[in-house]
Amino acid sequence: MIDDALLEALKGGEWCSGAQIAGRIGVSRTAVWKRIETLRERGYSIEAVAGRGYRFLGGPDRLLPGEIRRHLTARRFGAEIEHHEEVDSTNRVASDLARAGAPEGTVVVAESQTAGRGRLGRTWSSPSNVNLYLSVVLRPVVAPADVTSLSLVSAIAVAEAILATTGLRSGIKWPNDVLLGQRKVAGILTEMDAETDRVRFLIVGIGVNLNATTRDFPPELRRKASSLRIAARRRIDRAVFTGALLDQLELFYDRFVAGGFPGVQQIYEGYHCLPGRRVRVDGGGNPRGVVRGVAPDGALLIETSDGVVRVSAGEVSLRGSYRS
Ligand code: BT5
């Protein structure tokens, strides 16, 4: 177990006396000293000076709850964070927590996934300790039919977090792939537990390639995946990114719950990279045509030879060279 309470007490990087820390986390000063030694053994850099106390200088690159909270201003999203070294899928873990009553905003993060899920039974490549694999429990009071557009909202949050942490402007490929150039850097899988007219809970699962290098991807993905590190040409602080993402998610989710998709549609359209492109869709009558944008309910609008058709689900491919 990593000492979250102690890291939290040292938050801010100010000098903190052993007695102050002991008081804050409710252990003896000797216990504080021992716990600091353990953190140091695990790669944390904590300065100790007689008469001044302890000062946090930096930690290893791990997505521990205390590390993420340093960079989080959201109130509900991330109030509970469960960290795992390895899981099959963070969406599976978050579903189990939600079923057991976990509140909205509960987050599951993992350093790696052995069976990361994509949509439609596909897999999500999840190499260890380099990327972000995160799932959030949501309990929106919306009809199941409105859930599709909620996954578009998560893509906005990813794009905004990328902009805030790297200055890079990504593109969203409907419904919720996030691309840098032509390459996918993030994917979102929204899973729902619902009755006919009521959503019990949703799990929004987000995978973002942060520090993966080309070699971290399996050969078949090397030409179509990228990472923020590859695009920005510098290492990304994963905890900073995760904090920014949870902040943006809470912000846009609240807007969506208050005003539906129309409340965020303009921002989505600012990132959407399909308008004006010729596409074909696998599913829903397989329409082909030119993308005209998205409707106020989040459906994709395609101008075909038979007029404009709406696509609510399906796989969109750009005609020509690119294949999703
Ligand atoms: C997605 O599916 O894009 C949704 C991915 C969601 C992953 C997160 S990680 C945390 C949470 N826990 C989970 O188990 N899942 C969620 P889809 O649109 O079906 O795209 C899958 C396709 O993207 C694959 O078939 C590959 O072609 C490609 N792909 C797989 N891994 C990738 C990666 N790391 N980066 C870029 N592309 C990838």
Side-chain angles (χ1 to χ4, degrees), residues 89-91 113 115-119 122-125 133-135 177 184 187-189 205-207 209 217 221 224-225:
S89 154
T90 55
N91 267 31
Q113 299 185 115
R117 301 180 196 159
R119 295 176 302 146
R122 291 186 288 240
T123 57
W124 187 253
S125 162
Y133 316 111
L134 166 146
S135 298
D177 284 351
K184 183 158 164 174
I188 296 163
L189 173 67
I206 304 179
N209 300 328
F217 295 117
L221 285 183
K224 51 185 195 176

mmCIF file of all heavy atoms in Angstrom, residues 89-91 113 115-119 122-125 133-135 177 184 187-189 205-207 209 217 221 224-225, ligand 1:
data_model
loop_
_atom_site.group_PDB
_atom_site.id
_atom_site.type_symbol
_atom_site.label_atom_id
_atom_site.label_comp_id
_atom_site.label_asym_id
_atom_site.label_seq_id
_atom_site.Cartn_x
_atom_site.Cartn_y
_atom_site.Cartn_z
ATOM 1 N N SER A 89 -9.924 -4.921 -16.756
ATOM 2 C CA SER A 89 -10.457 -3.706 -17.382
ATOM 3 C C SER A 89 -10.954 -2.777 -16.283
ATOM 4 O O SER A 89 -11.685 -3.229 -15.386
ATOM 5 C CB SER A 89 -11.611 -4.102 -18.314
ATOM 6 O OG SER A 89 -12.516 -3.029 -18.466
ATOM 7 N N THR A 90 -10.569 -1.512 -16.349
ATOM 8 C CA THR A 90 -11.053 -0.568 -15.323
ATOM 9 C C THR A 90 -12.573 -0.421 -15.423
ATOM 10 O O THR A 90 -13.228 -0.150 -14.423
ATOM 11 C CB THR A 90 -10.383 0.818 -15.460
ATOM 12 O OG1 THR A 90 -10.590 1.303 -16.784
ATOM 13 C CG2 THR A 90 -8.893 0.759 -15.152
ATOM 14 N N ASN A 91 -13.147 -0.606 -16.617
ATOM 15 C CA ASN A 91 -14.607 -0.536 -16.733
ATOM 16 C C ASN A 91 -15.274 -1.668 -15.952
ATOM 17 O O ASN A 91 -16.312 -1.464 -15.324
ATOM 18 C CB ASN A 91 -15.036 -0.619 -18.200
ATOM 19 C CG ASN A 91 -15.186 0.754 -18.824
ATOM 20 O OD1 ASN A 91 -14.493 1.692 -18.442
ATOM 21 N ND2 ASN A 91 -16.089 0.880 -19.782
ATOM 22 N N GLN A 113 -3.746 -2.817 -18.132
ATOM 23 C CA GLN A 113 -4.939 -3.660 -18.248
ATOM 24 C C GLN A 113 -4.566 -4.907 -19.040
ATOM 25 O O GLN A 113 -3.862 -4.809 -20.053
ATOM 26 C CB GLN A 113 -6.060 -2.936 -18.990
ATOM 27 C CG GLN A 113 -6.529 -1.659 -18.322
ATOM 28 C CD GLN A 113 -7.722 -1.043 -19.051
ATOM 29 O OE1 GLN A 113 -8.813 -0.964 -18.520
ATOM 30 N NE2 GLN A 113 -7.511 -0.611 -20.271
ATOM 31 N N ALA A 115 -7.027 -6.956 -20.193
ATOM 32 C CA ALA A 115 -8.087 -7.160 -21.177
ATOM 33 C C ALA A 115 -8.832 -5.845 -21.371
ATOM 34 O O ALA A 115 -10.056 -5.773 -21.190
ATOM 35 C CB ALA A 115 -9.034 -8.267 -20.709
ATOM 36 N N GLY A 116 -8.083 -4.791 -21.732
ATOM 37 C CA GLY A 116 -8.695 -3.476 -21.969
ATOM 38 C C GLY A 116 -9.716 -3.606 -23.087
ATOM 39 O O GLY A 116 -9.449 -4.232 -24.109
ATOM 40 N N ARG A 117 -10.878 -3.036 -22.863
ATOM 41 C CA ARG A 117 -11.961 -3.208 -23.837
ATOM 42 C C ARG A 117 -12.121 -1.991 -24.732
ATOM 43 O O ARG A 117 -12.080 -0.863 -24.266
ATOM 44 C CB ARG A 117 -13.308 -3.334 -23.111
ATOM 45 C CG ARG A 117 -13.423 -4.459 -22.153
ATOM 46 C CD ARG A 117 -14.835 -4.382 -21.560
ATOM 47 N NE ARG A 117 -14.938 -5.178 -20.356
ATOM 48 C CZ ARG A 117 -15.865 -4.994 -19.425
ATOM 49 N NH1 ARG A 117 -16.763 -4.054 -19.558
ATOM 50 N NH2 ARG A 117 -15.907 -5.774 -18.364
ATOM 51 N N GLY A 118 -12.364 -2.253 -26.010
ATOM 52 C CA GLY A 118 -12.806 -1.214 -26.934
ATOM 53 C C GLY A 118 -14.294 -1.415 -27.158
ATOM 54 O O GLY A 118 -14.940 -2.169 -26.420
ATOM 55 N N ARG A 119 -14.853 -0.765 -28.160
ATOM 56 C CA ARG A 119 -16.272 -0.964 -28.449
ATOM 57 C C ARG A 119 -16.430 -2.236 -29.285
ATOM 58 O O ARG A 119 -15.471 -2.732 -29.864
ATOM 59 C CB ARG A 119 -16.826 0.244 -29.204
ATOM 60 C CG ARG A 119 -16.806 1.511 -28.344
ATOM 61 C CD ARG A 119 -17.254 2.718 -29.124
ATOM 62 N NE ARG A 119 -16.412 2.919 -30.296
ATOM 63 C CZ ARG A 119 -16.862 3.398 -31.451
ATOM 64 N NH1 ARG A 119 -18.111 3.699 -31.610
ATOM 65 N NH2 ARG A 119 -16.024 3.550 -32.464
ATOM 66 N N ARG A 122 -13.968 -5.106 -29.360
ATOM 67 C CA ARG A 122 -12.558 -4.902 -29.733
ATOM 68 C C ARG A 122 -11.714 -4.721 -28.476
ATOM 69 O O ARG A 122 -12.240 -4.576 -27.382
ATOM 70 C CB ARG A 122 -12.442 -3.678 -30.652
ATOM 71 C CG ARG A 122 -13.068 -3.955 -32.019
ATOM 72 C CD ARG A 122 -12.837 -2.807 -32.976
ATOM 73 N NE ARG A 122 -13.636 -1.668 -32.611
ATOM 74 C CZ ARG A 122 -14.550 -1.114 -33.398
ATOM 75 N NH1 ARG A 122 -14.794 -1.600 -34.596
ATOM 76 N NH2 ARG A 122 -15.234 -0.063 -33.005
ATOM 77 N N THR A 123 -10.394 -4.722 -28.645
ATOM 78 C CA THR A 123 -9.537 -4.606 -27.463
ATOM 79 C C THR A 123 -8.808 -3.265 -27.475
ATOM 80 O O THR A 123 -8.638 -2.632 -28.514
ATOM 81 C CB THR A 123 -8.482 -5.738 -27.411
ATOM 82 O OG1 THR A 123 -7.736 -5.690 -28.620
ATOM 83 C CG2 THR A 123 -9.118 -7.096 -27.261
ATOM 84 N N TRP A 124 -8.369 -2.859 -26.273
ATOM 85 C CA TRP A 124 -7.635 -1.611 -26.127
ATOM 86 C C TRP A 124 -6.241 -1.949 -25.619
ATOM 87 O O TRP A 124 -6.092 -2.518 -24.536
ATOM 88 C CB TRP A 124 -8.340 -0.670 -25.145
ATOM 89 C CG TRP A 124 -7.700 0.689 -25.106
ATOM 90 C CD1 TRP A 124 -6.936 1.191 -24.113
ATOM 91 C CD2 TRP A 124 -7.760 1.698 -26.123
ATOM 92 N NE1 TRP A 124 -6.509 2.460 -24.447
ATOM 93 C CE2 TRP A 124 -6.996 2.790 -25.671
ATOM 94 C CE3 TRP A 124 -8.385 1.775 -27.378
ATOM 95 C CZ2 TRP A 124 -6.843 3.953 -26.427
ATOM 96 C CZ3 TRP A 124 -8.225 2.934 -28.124
ATOM 97 C CH2 TRP A 124 -7.464 4.007 -27.642
ATOM 98 N N SER A 125 -5.264 -1.646 -26.409
ATOM 99 C CA SER A 125 -3.882 -1.947 -26.048
ATOM 100 C C SER A 125 -3.486 -1.103 -24.830
ATOM 101 O O SER A 125 -3.618 0.123 -24.844
ATOM 102 C CB SER A 125 -3.017 -1.625 -27.276
ATOM 103 O OG SER A 125 -1.681 -1.489 -26.898
ATOM 104 N N TYR A 133 -5.488 4.722 -18.085
ATOM 105 C CA TYR A 133 -6.663 3.861 -18.229
ATOM 106 C C TYR A 133 -7.549 4.202 -17.047
ATOM 107 O O TYR A 133 -7.177 3.925 -15.897
ATOM 108 C CB TYR A 133 -6.280 2.375 -18.214
ATOM 109 C CG TYR A 133 -5.058 2.104 -19.074
ATOM 110 C CD1 TYR A 133 -3.847 1.734 -18.502
ATOM 111 C CD2 TYR A 133 -5.117 2.295 -20.455
ATOM 112 C CE1 TYR A 133 -2.709 1.551 -19.284
ATOM 113 C CE2 TYR A 133 -3.983 2.118 -21.240
ATOM 114 C CZ TYR A 133 -2.793 1.745 -20.654
ATOM 115 O OH TYR A 133 -1.673 1.584 -21.421
ATOM 116 N N LEU A 134 -8.680 4.819 -17.321
ATOM 117 C CA LEU A 134 -9.481 5.385 -16.243
ATOM 118 C C LEU A 134 -10.960 5.148 -16.510
ATOM 119 O O LEU A 134 -11.398 5.194 -17.659
ATOM 120 C CB LEU A 134 -9.165 6.880 -16.192
ATOM 121 C CG LEU A 134 -10.027 7.841 -15.407
ATOM 122 C CD1 LEU A 134 -9.146 8.948 -14.835
ATOM 123 C CD2 LEU A 134 -11.099 8.474 -16.269
ATOM 124 N N SER A 135 -11.709 4.856 -15.456
ATOM 125 C CA SER A 135 -13.163 4.734 -15.599
ATOM 126 C C SER A 135 -13.836 5.535 -14.502
ATOM 127 O O SER A 135 -13.354 5.577 -13.376
ATOM 128 C CB SER A 135 -13.603 3.275 -15.493
ATOM 129 O OG SER A 135 -13.017 2.515 -16.536
ATOM 130 N N ASP A 177 -13.611 9.146 -30.952
ATOM 131 C CA ASP A 177 -12.163 8.896 -31.071
ATOM 132 C C ASP A 177 -11.457 10.243 -31.023
ATOM 133 O O ASP A 177 -11.917 11.201 -31.651
ATOM 134 C CB ASP A 177 -11.820 8.275 -32.438
ATOM 135 C CG ASP A 177 -12.193 6.814 -32.522
ATOM 136 O OD1 ASP A 177 -12.557 6.229 -31.489
ATOM 137 O OD2 ASP A 177 -12.122 6.267 -33.640
ATOM 138 N N LYS A 184 -4.858 7.891 -33.738
ATOM 139 C CA LYS A 184 -5.728 7.877 -32.556
ATOM 140 C C LYS A 184 -4.883 7.947 -31.284
ATOM 141 O O LYS A 184 -3.940 7.182 -31.109
ATOM 142 C CB LYS A 184 -6.542 6.581 -32.604
ATOM 143 C CG LYS A 184 -7.550 6.415 -31.488
ATOM 144 C CD LYS A 184 -8.613 5.434 -31.920
ATOM 145 C CE LYS A 184 -9.441 4.913 -30.780
ATOM 146 N NZ LYS A 184 -10.559 4.076 -31.208
ATOM 147 N N GLY A 187 -9.431 6.769 -26.750
ATOM 148 C CA GLY A 187 -10.699 6.134 -27.077
ATOM 149 C C GLY A 187 -11.577 6.106 -25.842
ATOM 150 O O GLY A 187 -11.076 6.126 -24.713
ATOM 151 N N ILE A 188 -12.870 6.073 -26.071
ATOM 152 C CA ILE A 188 -13.824 6.126 -24.955
ATOM 153 C C ILE A 188 -14.839 5.006 -25.112
ATOM 154 O O ILE A 188 -15.355 4.772 -26.208
ATOM 155 C CB ILE A 188 -14.554 7.494 -24.946
ATOM 156 C CG1 ILE A 188 -13.530 8.607 -24.682
ATOM 157 C CG2 ILE A 188 -15.661 7.521 -23.885
ATOM 158 C CD1 ILE A 188 -14.006 9.975 -25.029
ATOM 159 N N LEU A 189 -15.093 4.322 -24.037
ATOM 160 C CA LEU A 189 -16.093 3.251 -24.037
ATOM 161 C C LEU A 189 -17.097 3.546 -22.931
ATOM 162 O O LEU A 189 -16.749 3.520 -21.753
ATOM 163 C CB LEU A 189 -15.403 1.904 -23.756
ATOM 164 C CG LEU A 189 -16.338 0.715 -23.567
ATOM 165 C CD1 LEU A 189 -17.068 0.380 -24.866
ATOM 166 C CD2 LEU A 189 -15.554 -0.510 -23.086
ATOM 167 N N GLY A 205 -15.367 4.870 -19.701
ATOM 168 C CA GLY A 205 -13.984 4.382 -19.660
ATOM 169 C C GLY A 205 -13.167 5.142 -20.692
ATOM 170 O O GLY A 205 -13.556 5.242 -21.859
ATOM 171 N N ILE A 206 -12.052 5.695 -20.246
ATOM 172 C CA ILE A 206 -11.240 6.522 -21.142
ATOM 173 C C ILE A 206 -9.812 6.000 -21.159
ATOM 174 O O ILE A 206 -9.189 5.820 -20.109
ATOM 175 C CB ILE A 206 -11.247 7.993 -20.665
ATOM 176 C CG1 ILE A 206 -12.691 8.500 -20.571
ATOM 177 C CG2 ILE A 206 -10.428 8.870 -21.608
ATOM 178 C CD1 ILE A 206 -12.818 9.925 -20.086
ATOM 179 N N GLY A 207 -9.311 5.743 -22.344
ATOM 180 C CA GLY A 207 -7.910 5.359 -22.494
ATOM 181 C C GLY A 207 -7.206 6.471 -23.262
ATOM 182 O O GLY A 207 -7.670 6.866 -24.336
ATOM 183 N N ASN A 209 -3.368 7.632 -24.674
ATOM 184 C CA ASN A 209 -1.943 7.314 -24.834
ATOM 185 C C ASN A 209 -1.148 8.549 -24.435
ATOM 186 O O ASN A 209 -1.169 9.554 -25.143
ATOM 187 C CB ASN A 209 -1.637 6.937 -26.276
ATOM 188 C CG ASN A 209 -2.431 5.728 -26.731
ATOM 189 O OD1 ASN A 209 -2.725 4.842 -25.929
ATOM 190 N ND2 ASN A 209 -2.796 5.698 -27.997
ATOM 191 N N PHE A 217 3.408 0.114 -28.731
ATOM 192 C CA PHE A 217 2.185 -0.349 -29.404
ATOM 193 C C PHE A 217 2.466 -1.651 -30.144
ATOM 194 O O PHE A 217 3.564 -1.841 -30.669
ATOM 195 C CB PHE A 217 1.717 0.684 -30.436
ATOM 196 C CG PHE A 217 1.285 1.996 -29.849
ATOM 197 C CD1 PHE A 217 1.957 3.167 -30.158
ATOM 198 C CD2 PHE A 217 0.201 2.060 -28.986
ATOM 199 C CE1 PHE A 217 1.560 4.381 -29.617
ATOM 200 C CE2 PHE A 217 -0.203 3.275 -28.435
ATOM 201 C CZ PHE A 217 0.478 4.438 -28.746
ATOM 202 N N LEU A 221 -0.757 -1.509 -34.682
ATOM 203 C CA LEU A 221 -1.246 -0.168 -34.312
ATOM 204 C C LEU A 221 -0.228 0.927 -34.598
ATOM 205 O O LEU A 221 -0.534 2.109 -34.511
ATOM 206 C CB LEU A 221 -1.585 -0.120 -32.815
ATOM 207 C CG LEU A 221 -2.859 -0.812 -32.348
ATOM 208 C CD1 LEU A 221 -3.053 -0.584 -30.852
ATOM 209 C CD2 LEU A 221 -4.062 -0.283 -33.116
ATOM 210 N N LYS A 224 -1.287 3.641 -36.865
ATOM 211 C CA LYS A 224 -2.538 4.382 -36.664
ATOM 212 C C LYS A 224 -2.740 4.920 -35.255
ATOM 213 O O LYS A 224 -3.731 5.601 -34.998
ATOM 214 C CB LYS A 224 -3.747 3.579 -37.128
ATOM 215 C CG LYS A 224 -3.874 2.182 -36.611
ATOM 216 C CD LYS A 224 -5.082 1.537 -37.311
ATOM 217 C CE LYS A 224 -5.522 0.273 -36.605
ATOM 218 N NZ LYS A 224 -6.712 -0.290 -37.202
ATOM 219 N N ALA A 225 -1.781 4.634 -34.342
ATOM 220 C CA ALA A 225 -1.898 5.176 -32.985
ATOM 221 C C ALA A 225 -0.758 6.151 -32.723
ATOM 222 O O ALA A 225 0.315 6.049 -33.313
ATOM 223 C CB ALA A 225 -1.843 4.030 -31.983
HETATM 224 C C1 BT5 B 1 -12.360 2.617 -28.146
HETATM 225 O O1 BT5 B 1 -12.861 1.518 -28.790
HETATM 226 O O2 BT5 B 1 -11.722 3.487 -28.682
HETATM 227 C C2 BT5 B 1 -12.634 2.622 -26.656
HETATM 228 C C3 BT5 B 1 -11.391 2.388 -25.851
HETATM 229 C C4 BT5 B 1 -11.645 2.565 -24.381
HETATM 230 C C5 BT5 B 1 -10.475 2.156 -23.568
HETATM 231 C C6 BT5 B 1 -10.646 2.484 -22.101
HETATM 232 S S1 BT5 B 1 -9.192 2.222 -21.191
HETATM 233 C C7 BT5 B 1 -10.042 2.426 -19.711
HETATM 234 C C8 BT5 B 1 -11.381 1.734 -19.885
HETATM 235 N N1 BT5 B 1 -11.295 0.330 -19.538
HETATM 236 C C9 BT5 B 1 -11.498 -0.451 -20.603
HETATM 237 O O3 BT5 B 1 -11.468 -1.701 -20.581
HETATM 238 N N2 BT5 B 1 -11.728 0.295 -21.706
HETATM 239 C C10 BT5 B 1 -11.733 1.712 -21.373
HETATM 240 P P1 BT5 B 1 -12.927 1.344 -30.375
HETATM 241 O O4 BT5 B 1 -13.513 2.566 -30.982
HETATM 242 O O5 BT5 B 1 -13.603 0.051 -30.561
HETATM 243 O O6 BT5 B 1 -11.428 1.277 -30.808
HETATM 244 C C11 BT5 B 1 -10.684 0.102 -30.636
HETATM 245 C C12 BT5 B 1 -9.668 0.075 -31.758
HETATM 246 O O7 BT5 B 1 -8.678 1.095 -31.564
HETATM 247 C C13 BT5 B 1 -8.885 -1.231 -31.800
HETATM 248 O O8 BT5 B 1 -9.530 -2.187 -32.596
HETATM 249 C C14 BT5 B 1 -7.549 -0.774 -32.415
HETATM 250 O O9 BT5 B 1 -7.653 -0.661 -33.830
HETATM 251 C C15 BT5 B 1 -7.393 0.625 -31.870
HETATM 252 N N3 BT5 B 1 -6.605 0.648 -30.630
HETATM 253 C C16 BT5 B 1 -6.484 -0.294 -29.665
HETATM 254 N N4 BT5 B 1 -5.694 0.118 -28.669
HETATM 255 C C17 BT5 B 1 -5.285 1.367 -29.009
HETATM 256 C C18 BT5 B 1 -4.462 2.329 -28.390
HETATM 257 N N5 BT5 B 1 -3.892 2.129 -27.190
HETATM 258 N N6 BT5 B 1 -4.271 3.510 -29.036
HETATM 259 C C19 BT5 B 1 -4.840 3.762 -30.239
HETATM 260 N N7 BT5 B 1 -5.624 2.893 -30.862
HETATM 261 C C20 BT5 B 1 -5.864 1.710 -30.260
#
